[in-house]
Every structure is written in C-alpha cells, then in structure tokens.
Amino acid sequence: MFSLYRFSLPLVVAVLGLALVAGITAQQFLTGWFLRDVELRSELIFNSVEPAVRRQAADSDEAGLGRTFDGISRDERVLAIGLCDAAGRMVAASRNWPGEQICRDEKPAAGAERRGAVYERRQLSSGPVLIAGFPLAIDPARNWRLMVLHDMGFASSRTTAALTTLVAFVGLLIALGVLITVAVTRVTLSTWSRAIVQSLDPRTRSRPEADIAPELRPVVREVRQTLRDIDIGRVRGSPIRVSWTSTSLQEVIHDELPGSEVIVVSNREPYIHDRDGDRIIVRRPASGLVTALEPIIRATRGVWIAHGSGSADRETVNASDRVAVPPEDPAYTLRRVWLTEEEENGYYYRFSNEGLWPLCHIAFVRPQFRREDWEIYRAVNQRFADTIVAEAKSKNPIVFVQDYHFALLPRMIRQRLPEATVITFWHIPWPNAEVFSICPWREEILDGLLGSSILGFHTRFHVNNFIESVDRFMESHIDRELSTISTGGEATLVNAYPISIEWPPRALLGLPTVGDCRRRVREQLGLGPDVKIGVGVERFDYTKGIPDRLRAVGILLERHPEWIGRFVFIQVAAPTRAKLDAYRGLQEEAMAVAEAINARYARDGWKPIELIVRHHEPEEVLELFRAADFCVVTSLHDGMNLVAKEFVASREDDRGVLVLSTFAGASRELLEALLVNPYDMDTLAETLVRALSMSEEEQRDRMRLMRELVRDNNVYAWAGSMLMEAARMRKRREVQNHFGETRWGLTP
C-alpha cells in the first residue's frame, strides 16, 4: 500500500499546484472582466442621460434631476447616481445615495481614466462599489461631474461561485487520477513482480524472451543481466578491492544479516582445556578457521559446536556441556559433543582419515572403507545434527559446517531446520568422478552435501569435479553458468572460496625484525652468516611430499657440489595421526632419507638437512620463515596449503623465494612463486638452485605481488564472501515469501 501512496501522492501534489495557479489566474481574470463590464455599463448610462442631465442642470431643475436619477438607479446593479459640483458638494442625487462622502474637490487617488472618466473602487458600509465620475461641463463656470455608483457585490459572489466550481472539478479530477493510478500501479507491479520472480527462479530463468510480454522484456532482460554479472563476477573474482578486516566482517553481519543467529560446527574445537598436573591450561590451536570464524560468532554471540577432546574439557563445562569462551573475555558459547573412543576411532581416524582423506588426495594411498566405520560416521553426524537443533534459538539460523568430517550433516540439518542457511566448506580437494566412485556410499555423501545452501571449495577445479560427480551419480538439475545444483526443489550454490590467513598474522606482532630472526636462527643451528637457509613446515602427512622434497635436496648437492656447506634445509614436521600406519611409516621414511643424505654430505660440523620432529608454535614458525632465503611447499595434493601464504605474509622485507607445488590450491593464486611438479625431483632440485641464486630485485618484485594478493584475499575476505552470498539468499527468500510464490531454488 505504501508503494501506491508513493505513486499517487506526486499526482495529487501536482494537480493541487496547478489548481492553485489556475484559481489565482481565474480570480484575476474574472475580476478584471467584471470591472470592464461595469465600466462599459457606466459609460452607456452616461451617454444615454448626458443630454437630459445637461439640460436640467442648466435650468437648475434639481427636482427633475432627482427624478431622472431615481429612474436610472432602479437597475439592480446601479447603486446610486448623483451630480457633484467642482467644490465637491452634492447638487442632486437619487434617493438611495449613500451617506458616505462621495463628492470630492480633487480627483480620486486610485483609478484609471478612460474617455475622460475617472473610476474608483471603494468599500462602503453597504459593500464594495465602483464609482465612475464623468465630467459634465454645463457652462464655462460650472465644471460638474456625474457620479455613477455600481454595486460590485455581484462580482464577488460570481467569482466565489466560479472558484467553488473549479475546486469541485479539481477534486473530482484528483479522485479519478488517484483511482486510475492505483489501478494501473497494482496491475503494473503485479506484472513486474511476476517477471522479476521468474527472472530469479532457476526453473524459468532460461525462458525465451519471445515467450515474455513485449512490455516486460526490458525488465526481465535487465534483471537477468544483473544476476549474470553478479554471479559471473562472484565466480571469477570481483575487480573491486575491499579492505577486509575483523571489524569489516562484523559490519557485514550487522548491516547485511542483522539479528541473525550463527552456529559453527567443526571437529576441532577453538579452545581446548587440558590438565597439566594439578592445574588446567587452555590451548588455542593454531587455525586459520578459528581466526576467520571467531569475528562472526563473536558479533552474533553465537554457538560453536565441536568434539570435546581435551583432557580437562569435561571439567570446565556446565550441566549443558557449554562453556563461555574466550576465557579472558567471554563472547560466545562453546558447546562440546562427547565421543567414546570407539566412536572417535570409527568416525575420525578410520572413515574420515583412512577413507575420505586418501580418496580426496591423489597421493596413491589406498582408501579403506568399512561398513562399521560408515555406520559410526553416520551416527556421529546425526548426533551433531541433534545438537545443532537443540542449540538453535530460531527457525532460520546460519550454520557453518566445516570439512569432510560432516559430509552428511547439511542434509540432516535441512530435514530438521528447513529454513536454515547452511554454509558448508570442504577444506580438502574433491576428486574426479571416477576416483570418487570408489566410495561405496557416494550417493549418500553427495546428497548430504547438497543439503547445503552454499557449498564451498578452494578452487574452481574442485568445484568442477564435484559438479561432475553429481552429474554422474545423482538425478539433479545443474546450471553450470551459475554453478548451482537443484535437487528436490532446493538449489545449492557450489562455488570456489579460496581460504587464506589473517592479515597481518597476529603472531608477527611480537616478533623481532627480519634481521634479528636471521641472526637468532643461525645462532641456534650454528650457521655462519653466509649460509643460505631453506625451510619447509608441515605435519607428517603423506600428502605433503616430505620424503621426495628431501631427496631433491640430495640431488641438488650431487649435481651442484658448489652448494655443499653453503646452504641448509630445515624441515619442521609435527607428528600427527600416529594411530594410523600410513602416517607412522611416512615419518620413518623421512627420517631415513634425511639421515642418508646427511651421512653422505655432512662435514666440519655442517649437515645439509635439519629435520626437527616436533610441534612448533606460530611464533616459532614465522621466525623460521623470516630467517629463510626460500620456503618449499611441495604438496602432492592439497586443498589450499596455508603455509605458503604464511611465508609470504611473514616477509615484510619483500625478500625470499616461494617454491610451490602446482598441486596445491595456493598455486592458483600465488602465480609469482616458482611452481614445480613435486613428483619430478630432478626439476625440483634445479628449481631449488634457482631459488638460491635469485637476485634481490627479482625476489622483491615477486614477493610484493604475492603479499598484495594475500593482503587483499585474507581469511576475512574468505568468510565475508560466503556471508554476502548467504545474505543475498536470505533476501531472495524474503522476496519469495512476499510475493507468495511456490518454493524455488535460492541461487545468488
């Protein structure tokens, strides 16, 4: 209804304005018209009585003048008539001559002369009159004036009647105009609304223009083009630079998603309580995920649901398994889910990390799928779904589901909370359809993920692999241009959102300068100032290519002996998933390779490889990065690999070289790195030589470009881009609900 007022109000104002101008003009016109009419009548009277009045006045026949004047004043518009002498005295007048002084010895101050006559408008006690004075020369000694008084009351009454008629006509015109405007607006808005909804609906978006009414084609064309520009721009990356920070991320939530409830679900918890003797300590795992999502959940005071794995986790929660975090400044709730040892082994170690992990990573480790592990995996996903429903305070929360541990969870949430906005991010690669077909429960996993509103991967390549898998194994409608998949009347946006790191990394704030870091690392390892340093930092995971990287160092020394004693390669590798044979075997292999190379080339207290097998805190890692001449990231297959971006972020001096595997997602962004095939150890060895020999100028040019990219595409941009998609979906749902359309897919 407000829209109708917006359309009709300007019309009413415009018509009223025109009516006001027309009324003023009409009043002036009618008044002038009546004056001219009365003046003409006065002249007519004067011309008709002048001979008689002149004769009677010459004979001083006052009685005759009176009778003549009485006869003329019988005209309803003639108020009175009289004869005044030059001194302003009344000579003779009709009986109805007013009591006010009319005759004057000077000409009236106001009036206009016409044919020797003088006209004056005056307000008498009887009402408005027009006094017409005509010169009447009786003889040279008597220059008298014949005064004719006309009643002007009729002019006012007729002008009022005319204006009343005009106002009534304008009122009728306004009423008709408003009614017509309302009717036309209703029809137009209804028609345009249907056209816009059809443009938004993926089921009718491809409808040919020939099937659309001609008057609606420009509207539909414009909406479709705008949507296409937005969607294609989102896939390819917008050229507009936005400075994403924790604060701007929170502003997006307040501006675009006001009052929204946010729930984050991950296997790893953001805060872990462990017992250390008699005291409880709090650990905050180094995680880009926590860095990205904490500003969101803080701003909404939401809930983070995770597996409680700390040795003191149970001691720190309340009766509802909740604990307020961060401990020093509670801003949101951590809800812990408990798993038995059997559930953790089946869900996490076996199905997730012996099944899905090797299935998705092309590292030539055979995935193992067992029926009992699948049943546990499904049951744990269901438990997390039940927890989400219990924690949700609204019917339409935003739920962030993280990683391959919860492939079934989105569909389970959708079944219980159909209006929820579910954002799922798959942090590891997605294999091609043929490899994915190995999984015995491929359809169930695909259906589970398609319960998401938004499904994100690191690269477009992984997005395409997922779409191909759905195309091969699921009955669905796929819009490849908009990257959406529709199943059962619901649409899922499948898109690339490359994850990144905090900018600048918080751990950098307390670190010494690059020069001080270089001196400290050299002192710790007993290296001279001219020895160059290469570094690699990973978990002991078979996807990281650690043994082959160490072998490439051996090949470098064999083919370029001039580097013996002149550089050292520091490999930091933290033990992980030690329960699994593949991980224990990898660690043993890497240690054996390092020992063999060191035994062959070590001399005079120098050895080429420093293999450090322990967990390093973020500050320790960044110190190594700042001290290094180059960093090696040679993943055999990786979703992103944030180590590469952390190295770039640490180099405030714009120095250092990044050697990066083409099979890491980061290689799609960090094009100024030295890209290598990690399976080709000969070429990798030569690339390491190039890194050692690169000029400072080339290092600076390459590093500046990479730092600019990591700065702009930081972890807040990663989270913010998905939040903007979620906001767009929720607004489209509002459009759908407003127009009462049947349910349609909510694509961005």
Side-chain angles (χ1 to χ4, degrees):
M1 183 61 68
F2 178 71
S3 298
L4 298 178
Y5 290 147
R6 287 197 321 178
F7 278 103
S8 57
L9 186 59
L11 174 65
V12 172
V13 172
V15 173
L16 286 176
L18 290 174
L20 179 62
V21 173
I24 295 173
T25 303
Q27 183 179 25
Q28 293 175 344
F29 174 77
L30 290 173
T31 302
W33 185 17
F34 289 135
L35 282 173
R36 288 192 298 274
D37 179 63
V38 171
E39 290 171 359
L40 291 174
R41 290 171 63 88
S42 298
E43 292 179 8
L44 181 63
I45 292 173
F46 174 74
N47 291 331
S48 62
V49 302
E50 179 183 11
V53 170
R54 187 183 299 276
R55 185 178 59 253
Q56 292 171 342
D59 297 338
S60 299
D61 185 3
E62 295 182 4
L65 287 172
R67 288 192 297 274
T68 301
F69 292 161
D70 285 338
I72 296 171
S73 62
R74 290 192 184 95
D75 189 316
E76 61 177 5
R77 295 188 189 176
V78 178
L79 178 64
I81 187 169
L83 184 64
C84 300
D85 63 15
R89 294 187 295 271
M90 177 64 63
V91 176
S94 62
R95 294 193 186 100
N96 50 6
W97 186 265
E100 287 92 341
Q101 177 65 34
I102 303 297
C103 295
R104 295 179 181 177
D105 59 355
E106 74 279 351
K107 293 184 178 180
E113 295 189 9
R114 176 181 299 171
R115 299 179 186 175
V118 175
Y119 298 94
E120 178 187 5
R121 295 181 64 184
R122 190 186 297 185
Q123 182 69 35
L124 302 182
S125 59
S126 59
V129 298
L130 177 68
I131 302 174
F134 298 94
L136 186 66
I138 305 303
D139 54 47
R142 292 187 291 180
N143 293 322
W144 292 354
R145 283 175 294 162
L146 181 66
M147 310 296 288
V148 181
L149 278 59
H150 282 273
D151 182 9
M152 294 300 293
F154 81 97
S156 299
S157 61
R158 290 190 179 183
T159 301
T160 301
L163 291 178
T164 302
T165 303
L166 178 62
V167 170
F169 175 77
V170 170
L172 179 62
L173 185 63
I174 290 175
L176 289 175
V178 170
L179 289 175
I180 293 172
T181 301
V182 168
V184 172
T185 302
R186 283 185 176 276
V187 173
T188 303
L189 286 178
S190 176
T191 306
W192 282 28
S193 298
R194 285 196 299 271
I196 293 172
V197 169
Q198 289 175 351
S199 300
L200 298 174
D201 191 342
R203 297 174 302 178
T204 58
R205 192 180 298 174
S206 58
R207 181 182 175 191
E209 277 198 7
D211 296 341
I212 301 171
E215 65 273 13
L216 298 180
R217 290 174 188 172
V219 178
V220 174
R221 192 181 304 118
E222 187 72 22
V223 172
R224 287 177 175 175
Q225 184 60 47
T226 302
L227 289 173
R228 193 175 298 114
D229 291 344
I230 291 174
D231 293 325
I232 293 175
R234 180 66 60 186
V235 171
R236 297 179 181 174
S238 172
I240 300 174
R241 293 294 184 186
V242 179
S243 178
W244 282 99
T245 63
S246 172
T247 302
S248 62
L249 187 58
Q250 291 178 333
E251 289 174 353
V252 167
I253 298 168
H254 290 304
D255 296 342
E256 302 295 334
L257 297 163
S260 296
E261 177 186 12
V262 173
I263 300 174
V264 174
V265 188
S266 65
N267 177 71
R268 180 183 297 180
E269 52 188 337
Y271 294 90
I272 301 174
H273 291 84
D274 279 328
R275 180 161 289 284
D276 183 15
D278 294 333
R279 65 191 184 99
I280 295 176
I281 60 173
V282 180
R283 291 192 297 110
R284 188 177 188 270
S287 170
L289 176 66
V290 176
T291 301
L293 297 183
E294 263 207 332
I296 302 173
I297 206 163
R298 279 174 178 267
T300 59
R301 305 193 71 83
V303 178
W304 192 310
I305 301 174
H307 169 216
S309 58
S311 58
D313 277 354
R314 288 182 182 270
E315 301 176 49
T316 54
V317 297
N318 61 17
S320 301
D321 298 323
R322 301 184 182 96
V323 60
V325 291
E328 68 279 4
D329 182 24
Y332 63 95
T333 301
L334 172 58
R335 171 69 154 87
R336 285 169 170 152
V337 176
W338 313 113
L339 301 178
T340 65
E341 183 178 0
E342 179 185 2
E343 288 172 330
E344 185 176 5
N345 287 337
Y347 143 80
Y348 179 75
Y349 285 105
R350 292 199 292 268
F351 191 83
S352 293
N353 291 304
E354 284 190 324
L356 292 179
W357 180 271
L359 176 72
C360 293
H361 289 86
I362 304 174
F364 307 106
V365 173
R366 185 179 185 275
Q368 299 182 41
F369 293 105
R370 310 175 187 89
R371 170 69 63 176
E372 57 270 23
D373 298 337
W374 165 252
E375 297 297 339
I376 294 174
Y377 181 86
R378 183 165 55 186
V380 170
N381 273 244
Q382 186 62 61
R383 186 178 305 171
F384 273 86
D386 295 339
T387 305
I388 292 168
V389 174
E391 293 294 333
K393 299 179 179 63
S394 62
K395 63 181 180 179
N396 61 340
I398 298 175
V399 185
F400 278 88
V401 178
Q402 301 301 317
D403 225 350
Y404 60 101
H405 311 96
F406 300 111
L408 305 180
L409 188 55
R411 178 62 66 193
M412 293 175 174
I413 298 171
R414 180 71 58 210
Q415 291 170 346
R416 304 280 295 279
L417 296 171
E419 295 186 36
T421 301
V422 182
I423 304 174
T424 303
F425 194 80
W426 193 265
H427 289 265
I428 62 176
W430 189 273
N432 60 50
E434 186 172 3
V435 171
F436 183 69
S437 68
I438 294 172
C439 180
W441 301 282
R442 53 184 180 258
E443 288 86 359
E444 290 90 335
I445 289 176
L446 292 174
D447 180 69
L449 291 172
L450 289 176
S452 309
S453 309
I454 300 171
L455 176 58
F457 295 91
H458 288 301
T459 69
R460 189 67 204 178
F461 182 70
H462 300 151
V463 169
N464 293 340
N465 279 350
F466 180 83
I467 292 176
E468 291 299 332
S469 298
V470 173
D471 194 22
R472 181 167 176 178
F473 301 115
M474 299 282 291
E475 183 177 347
S476 61
H477 172 74
I478 298 174
D479 188 327
R480 296 181 185 273
E481 181 182 5
L482 298 179
S483 197
T484 58
I485 301 175
S486 300
T487 56
E490 295 286 347
T492 300
L493 171 65
V494 186
N495 219 338
Y497 305 95
I499 198 171
S500 192
I501 62 172
E502 182 182 25
W503 183 274
R506 200 170 306 171
L508 275 179
L509 300 179
L511 283 184
T513 64
V514 172
D516 289 339
C517 289
R518 292 176 71 85
R519 284 190 293 272
R520 288 174 54 171
V521 170
R522 280 174 163 73
E523 289 173 2
Q524 293 169 5
L525 299 177
L527 302 175
D530 297 329
V531 176
K532 293 204 171 185
I533 298 174
V535 67
V537 179
E538 268 90 17
R539 293 178 295 109
F540 258 130
D541 190 299
Y542 53 76
T543 65
K544 304 302 181 183
I546 296 175
D548 291 339
R549 181 185 312 166
L550 300 179
R551 291 187 179 98
V553 173
I555 295 172
L556 182 157
L557 297 173
E558 179 182 357
R559 296 184 179 178
H560 299 274
E562 67 273 15
W563 286 104
I564 295 176
R566 294 178 55 201
F567 101 97
V568 65
F569 186 74
I570 304 171
Q571 177 62 58
V572 173
T576 183
R577 301 169 186 168
K579 290 185 178 183
L580 303 180
D581 294 339
Y583 291 85
R584 290 197 304 271
L586 168 73
Q587 183 172 340
E588 293 169 0
E589 179 187 0
M591 294 177 69
V593 172
E595 290 174 2
I597 295 173
N598 284 338
R600 180 176 178 183
Y601 294 103
R603 62 190 62 180
D604 301 327
W606 170 86
K607 59 181 180 181
I609 296 176
E610 291 283 352
L611 181 58
I612 305 173
V613 184
R614 70 172 179 85
H615 171 75
H616 277 53
E617 293 299 322
E619 293 80 6
E620 296 179 281
V621 171
L622 292 175
E623 183 180 60
L624 280 174
F625 286 158
R626 289 159 82 89
D629 293 284
F630 65 90
C631 175
V632 182
V633 177
T634 51
S635 306
L636 304 180
H637 202 193
D638 226 330
M640 176 54 65
N641 197 297
L642 295 179
V643 168
K645 295 186 176 183
E646 289 169 349
F647 173 72
V648 170
S650 72
R651 299 313 298 252
E652 297 169 347
D653 61 339
D654 293 333
R655 298 293 188 274
V657 182
L658 175 62
V659 179
L660 181 59
S661 167
T662 57
F663 299 113
S667 67
R668 303 298 195 274
E669 297 181 275
L670 303 177
L671 302 179
E672 289 71 35
L674 300 182
L675 302 181
V676 295
N677 177 357
Y679 293 93
D680 184 356
M681 286 175 286
D682 293 319
T683 302
L684 175 55
E686 294 302 321
T687 304
L688 296 181
V689 173
R690 183 182 174 191
L692 288 166
S693 308
M694 186 178 292
S695 68
E696 289 190 359
E697 182 182 4
E698 184 178 357
Q699 290 181 39
R700 181 180 61 251
D701 291 344
R702 289 174 177 269
M703 186 59 70
R704 284 178 178 174
L705 288 172
M706 290 191 289
R707 283 176 60 81
E708 180 183 345
L709 184 138
V710 176
R711 179 198 67 202
D712 293 339
N713 298 337
N714 57 37
V715 74
Y716 302 115
W718 170 77
S721 60
M722 290 187 288
L723 278 177
M724 294 297 287
E725 298 284 17
R728 184 180 293 111
M729 286 185 173
R730 291 164 84 88
K731 289 175 182 177
R732 289 191 170 186
R733 184 178 289 118
E734 292 174 4
V735 171
Q736 166 213 332
N737 293 336
H738 177 75
F739 291 109
E741 296 291 325
T742 57
R743 195 169 185 83
W744 39 266
L746 296 174
T747 57

